[in-house]
Amino acid sequence: IGGLTAIFAASIGLKQWDIKKVLAYSTVSQLGYMFVGVGSGAYVAGVFHLMTHAFFKALLFLGSGSVIYAMHAAYHATHSGEDAQDMRNMGGMKRYMPVTWVLMWAATLAIAGVPPFAGFFSKDEILGSVFLRATHSTLADARWLGIPGSAILYLVYVMGLAAAFMTAVYMTRMMIYTFHGPNRTGEKEREHLREAPWIMTGPLVVLGVLSVIGGWFNIPAALPVGPIGALDRWLEPVVGESALRAAGGTLPEATHSLEYSLIGAAIVIALVGIAFAFARLKPERLVPKAQAPAEHGFERVLENKYYVDEAYDAAIVQPVVGVSRGLLWRGVDVGLIDRLTRLLVQSKDDNAAPGSSVPMGGWLTRAVGFLGSQLQSGRVGTYAWVLVVGVLFVLGAFSFR
């Protein structure tokens, strides 16, 4: 599930134009990575990636917020109604927001898994842990639908590499289309583009530092620098026994040559993804959103997120709305309650005009609301005493039965 989530969300991020949506699906993909680690018994690796991801993803979201702030201010000044979050309306922003540009590149390199940035260490630990557990662990010895667990773990490792490649591609794509190439905001709007105020940029600097050094909290033993395994030792009382049980009694250890090979593979995948994006994407060919042609083929599928929202709307939302409108409203509310109310009124008052009705449902609702309001004093102290009395009552019921 973690591997599929990582690939599925990363593929959607490849074709999103809203800068916030790119980062949103990136977050889902990185959550998939965390589940790969935790699901394979590498609990520290999963938590480690959660920690480093907090640094660079917060930087990316706040950095994109600074870009949107600058875009919105420019469009507001010229009374333009263009989309301030669409990357097709950006481009060349590094000339106007150099600080944000540098910091967001640091976060991009971190999430792509380039050393020595934070994401490299946590992502490499997840991939390495899955690879090692494919040779020796309770999961490797198990079977799922007749498939050996070791084969599934090797497959998940490959899926993790594929998701890492796509992560490097879509994040580089976001940076290229936002900060590089010609500016597509508009000639008049360009005059109003500038760096966000320091009350917004200051936190980016702090997160930028953490995105660089945040991975040093759990440096692997193969790299004899910094606090080696600090997070492992800190979390050992919490997850140590469970990790040992999942590993079959002995935590897997890699030789230095194998560990260097796994590290090298992760680095190569990240660098190839970045180089691929720079080679294929040409920001000078991009046109503003208003002039952009519609997507076709599989690119359209990715842009529309595999039509998951449409399928959910057709399978869940519309049937619920239909039942609510046809059965609950027309059937129960109008057909049953209103008719019953009219019959009751007409039976009590022979002089009632035909078709008159009394909002019996409203009276009932107000009566129930009045009773409920008598139980609510609005005083926190009273609620606390009621809670204490309730807890004592429950304890007493179990103690004196």
Side-chain angles (χ1 to χ4, degrees):
I1 291 174
L4 289 173
T5 300
I7 284 186
F8 184 78
S11 64
I12 294 176
L14 290 170
K15 207 55 189 173
Q16 297 305 303
W17 292 109
D18 188 312
I19 189 172
K20 295 289 285 292
K21 285 186 178 181
V22 175
L23 299 177
Y25 283 101
S26 171
T27 300
V28 177
S29 180
Q30 299 307 306
L31 288 172
Y33 258 107
M34 298 171 203
F35 271 81
V36 168
V38 174
S40 61
Y43 304 111
V44 175
V47 174
F48 187 26
H49 196 55
L50 174 66
M51 184 188 76
T52 61
H53 180 260
F55 301 148
F56 53 75
K57 186 52 66 68
L59 173 53
L60 288 167
F61 266 115
L62 291 179
S64 68
S66 294
V67 173
I68 294 170
Y69 172 84
M71 292 286 294
H72 179 77
Y75 284 139
H76 179 74
T78 59
H79 306 286
S80 174
E82 294 293 333
D83 191 345
Q85 298 187 196
D86 198 294
M87 294 185 296
R88 289 170 291 191
N89 293 331
M90 299 177 186
M93 296 294 287
K94 70 176 182 179
R95 295 192 294 273
Y96 311 100
M97 309 183 71
V99 176
T100 303
W101 170 62
V102 171
L103 293 172
M104 288 190 70
W105 258 120
T108 296
L109 294 174
I111 193 174
V114 176
F117 298 91
F120 159 72
F121 296 99
S122 57
K123 189 175 291 188
D124 174 72
E125 186 170 339
I126 289 177
L127 293 174
S129 298
V130 173
F131 187 90
L132 293 177
R133 280 161 174 73
T135 58
H136 176 72
S137 67
T138 55
L139 290 175
D141 298 334
R143 303 179 74 87
W144 183 67
L145 299 177
I147 306 173
S150 57
I152 295 176
L153 288 173
Y154 280 126
L155 175 62
V156 171
Y157 173 75
V158 173
M159 294 167 68
L161 289 178
F165 173 78
M166 287 190 283
T167 300
V169 172
Y170 69 67
M171 287 306 304
T172 306
R173 171 182 178 267
M174 185 195 78
M175 293 300 296
I176 290 174
Y177 286 158
T178 301
F179 291 98
H180 296 259
N183 180 261
R184 299 174 294 275
T185 306
E187 186 174 351
K188 294 181 179 180
E189 287 77 11
R190 255 175 243 130
E191 301 174 2
H192 302 278
L193 291 173
R194 57 181 57 87
E195 192 75 70
W198 271 103
I199 195 172
M200 297 175 65
T201 309
L204 302 186
V205 176
V206 177
L207 292 168
V209 173
L210 292 172
S211 296
V212 176
I213 68 172
W216 301 356
F217 289 99
N218 210 50
I219 292 179
L223 303 175
V225 292
I228 298 174
L231 192 63
D232 282 284
R233 294 192 296 273
W234 190 63
L235 290 176
E236 198 278 334
V238 181
V239 301
E241 183 179 347
S242 300
L244 195 64
R245 189 184 308 115
T250 305
L251 292 177
E253 294 185 5
T255 62
H256 283 309
S257 59
L258 177 58
E259 190 159 4
Y260 284 132
S261 299
L262 294 174
I263 292 173
I267 295 174
V268 168
I269 286 292
L271 295 178
V272 169
I274 294 173
F276 177 82
F278 268 106
R280 290 293 303 271
L281 302 176
K282 306 298 180 183
E284 60 273 6
R285 299 178 185 173
L286 209 60
V287 296
K289 177 183 178 181
Q291 306 170 24
E295 301 288 355
H296 298 284
F298 189 61
E299 292 183 350
R300 184 175 181 179
V301 175
L302 293 179
E303 185 181 23
N304 287 281
K305 306 172 286 290
Y306 293 100
Y307 296 97
V308 172
D309 293 340
E310 289 78 3
Y312 180 81
D313 184 73
I316 305 295
V317 176
Q318 292 306 321
V320 170
V321 171
V323 170
S324 299
R325 180 181 292 116
L327 177 62
L328 300 181
W329 175 38
R330 292 195 176 96
V332 177
D333 195 5
V334 177
L336 180 61
I337 296 178
D338 282 3
R339 289 182 180 178
L340 181 60
T341 301
R342 293 189 185 98
L343 290 175
L344 290 174
V345 171
Q346 291 175 358
S347 63
K348 290 182 178 180
D349 188 358
D350 294 336
N351 297 324
S356 64
S357 64
V358 177
M360 181 179 179
W363 288 354
L364 179 62
T365 301
R366 283 194 290 271
V368 174
F370 174 78
L371 293 175
S373 68
Q374 302 309 302
L375 302 175
Q376 305 294 325
S377 66
R379 298 175 180 174
V380 178
T382 303
Y383 298 158
W385 277 112
V386 171
L387 177 63
V388 170
V389 171
V391 170
L392 292 176
F393 178 79
V394 172
L395 292 177
F398 280 98
S399 302
F400 299 105
R401 56 184 178 180

